[in-house]
Amino acid sequence: MSFITNLERNHIFVSRASTAIYIVLKTLGFQGRKILVPANICYAAVYPIIYSGNIPIFCDVKKTSGNVTFEICVKHAEEVDGMLLPHMYGNPIKHIDKIAALCNEKNLLLIEDCASAMGAYSAGRLCGSWGDFSVFSLGYSKTLDIGSGGILFSNHDLGKFEENYKALPEKTSLEEQNEAFFSKLYRLIRNNTQQELSHYIWRGLLPGLKKTFVHYEPGIETKIKDALEDLDIIISQRKTEMELYKKFLPPCKYFEIYAYEKSAVPWRFSLIAEPAFRKELIAYFLEHNLPVSDWYPVVTPIFGISGEFPGAGYMEKRLINFPLLIGEEQIYRICKGINYFINKMEHR
């Protein structure tokens, strides 16, 4: 529990980070407000903005990190009422201190999304220290993965927030089934070049998904507290396995290794590759039953937004990532697969 102590803020344990975002906006009485979010944020963070009666305003990100910048926040500060800003891939947002000062100056709500950045530092303080509110996730593939769970932090008294959380509908097994179906459907539509019907599908699903992303989960507090006891060990293992990937992968003209700040807690081991190479490598890995992911894509099509986001689009077309917390033998197997594929490319 040293993480809770070190963050030195009031906190409550919740079912998931998306629920935390929802209860923040609802408890504060936000309605019809515009909330800035990056175009490559997870869709699960956008739905609670909509379900609370507010409007997501999408912005671009820096193409080399996938994070928003202070300059991007300044550009949009006059058109929004708040910002929901994730530390993407566990890599801390640079100048989050300046962004927090900007939000304070403009009287904007700042929700710091630390879903994948538990234990990381930004501007000399733990991620989660800077927002009016900050949210963490313990769901799938997060720093600590227990399948569900989230934490809401703030310097505000959270009594009313906790009361509103406990008043939400209780999570059932149906919510897990719905989310699994939604995830499969999302990937199916993303990989289908015929997109004419996609917006209608997402719009049709919207009313029925609220309880999937916003609910109360009894007993989650105990599960989270138990998991936090292992946080330091997990963070150390993540950093160690990052170095193993680098050890087994020599420099290559086809990709660059995604650069993490020293104060980051790596989410996955990621490469930034040329689109054609990336597409073929993913196909090769899937064919040979090796783990690979192309997360996070530009999420705006789900919400009917057709604008251009060059930085987020750059990452969507090039980022390819591989799991951590899998042990040296499996990492060696993955790197062997990458190196074998590179050798095939070289000898075409």
Side-chain angles (χ1 to χ4, degrees):
M1 293 289 288
S2 59
F3 169 72
I4 299 285
T5 305
N6 291 339
L7 202 49
E8 295 182 336
R9 309 189 86 188
N10 299 324
H11 66 278
I12 58 174
F13 300 108
V14 297
S15 56
R16 56 183 300 164
S18 57
T19 298
I21 296 166
Y22 176 84
I23 61 172
V24 166
L25 295 172
K26 290 293 286 186
T27 306
L28 292 177
F30 269 45
Q31 183 73 29
R33 307 285 189 90
K34 295 178 179 179
I35 308 298
L36 188 71
V37 291
N40 61 340
I41 197 171
C42 177
Y43 54 67
V46 181
Y47 277 108
I49 297 174
I50 296 171
Y51 288 134
S52 61
N54 295 287
I55 306 161
I57 302 296
F58 293 96
C59 67
D60 206 5
V61 296
K62 187 175 181 179
K63 71 177 186 178
T64 53
S65 70
N67 274 327
V68 296
T69 63
F70 174 69
E71 291 74 20
I72 289 171
C73 292
V74 169
K75 177 182 175 182
H76 293 278
E78 300 299 334
E79 63 175 307
V80 298
D81 302 287
M83 300 184 184
L84 171 61
L85 304 181
H87 300 279
M88 293 298 296
Y89 325 121
N91 216 4
I93 297 171
K94 286 190 175 181
H95 308 305
I96 188 66
D97 51 343
K98 293 174 64 177
I99 294 171
L102 171 70
C103 289
N104 184 59
E105 176 190 342
K106 300 292 184 180
N107 197 30
L108 304 178
L109 173 69
L110 176 57
I111 302 176
E112 193 180 351
D113 181 352
C114 310
S116 296
M118 187 178 287
Y121 281 78
S122 183
R125 284 163 38 181
L126 274 168
C127 291
S129 302
W130 296 101
D132 299 300
F133 298 86
S134 58
V135 299
F136 290 81
S137 173
L138 288 88
Y140 171 68
S141 85
K142 300 305 188 293
T143 311
L144 282 176
D145 179 353
I146 61 172
S148 66
I151 315 174
L152 172 63
F153 287 91
S154 180
N155 291 334
H156 297 280
D157 182 344
L158 294 176
K160 184 63 176 177
F161 296 81
E162 185 169 19
E163 181 182 323
N164 288 340
Y165 164 60
K166 290 182 176 179
L168 292 172
E170 190 170 314
K171 177 184 178 181
T172 67
S173 60
L174 180 60
E175 277 66 66
E176 294 180 1
Q177 295 171 30
N178 285 346
E179 184 165 18
F181 170 77
F182 182 90
S183 180
K184 290 178 182 177
L185 180 65
Y186 182 75
R187 285 166 172 78
L188 177 66
I189 292 178
R190 265 193 69 210
N191 295 330
N192 188 342
T193 56
Q194 303 301 317
Q195 295 282 333
E196 292 85 353
L197 295 177
S198 62
H199 178 54
Y200 298 99
I201 294 172
W202 301 129
R203 190 168 63 185
L205 288 175
L206 185 64
L209 283 172
K210 181 175 179 180
K211 196 177 170 186
T212 300
F213 295 106
V214 178
H215 52 253
Y216 169 68
E217 183 176 351
I220 195 63
E221 179 175 348
T222 300
K223 290 173 63 178
I224 294 173
K225 285 181 177 179
D226 288 345
L228 286 172
E229 297 295 335
D230 296 326
L231 178 60
D232 291 343
I233 296 171
I234 294 297
I235 289 174
S236 176
Q237 186 178 348
R238 285 181 172 276
K239 293 181 177 181
T240 297
E241 293 193 2
M242 275 286 298
E243 296 307 313
L244 283 175
Y245 273 104
K246 294 178 184 178
K247 174 184 174 182
F248 296 141
L249 282 180
C252 173
K253 67 181 181 182
Y254 298 106
F255 58 75
E256 296 178 359
I257 295 174
Y258 175 81
Y260 276 99
E261 299 290 327
K262 288 184 178 179
S263 59
V265 174
W267 163 64
R268 292 179 178 173
F269 176 76
S270 299
L271 305 176
I272 299 178
E274 286 303 309
F277 174 85
R278 174 182 180 265
K279 182 178 179 180
E280 290 191 48
L281 180 59
I282 289 173
Y284 174 81
F285 263 55
L286 292 177
E287 180 185 351
H288 290 83
N289 198 31
L290 291 165
V292 65
S293 170
D294 62 355
W295 224 242
Y296 282 94
V298 176
V299 75
T300 55
I302 289 184
F303 305 102
I305 305 298
S306 58
E308 292 296 320
F309 303 93
Y314 180 92
M315 295 296 281
E316 177 183 53
K317 294 180 177 66
R318 291 167 175 80
L319 196 69
I320 178 171
N321 49 70
F322 307 91
L324 297 172
L325 306 181
I326 57 175
E328 181 171 352
E329 184 177 340
Q330 180 73 334
I331 290 172
Y332 177 75
R333 180 170 172 257
I334 290 170
C335 292
K336 183 178 179 181
I338 295 172
N339 289 325
Y340 180 79
F341 181 77
I342 292 171
N343 188 57
K344 285 182 63 176
M345 295 282 291
E346 297 284 0
H347 292 86
R348 279 183 175 177

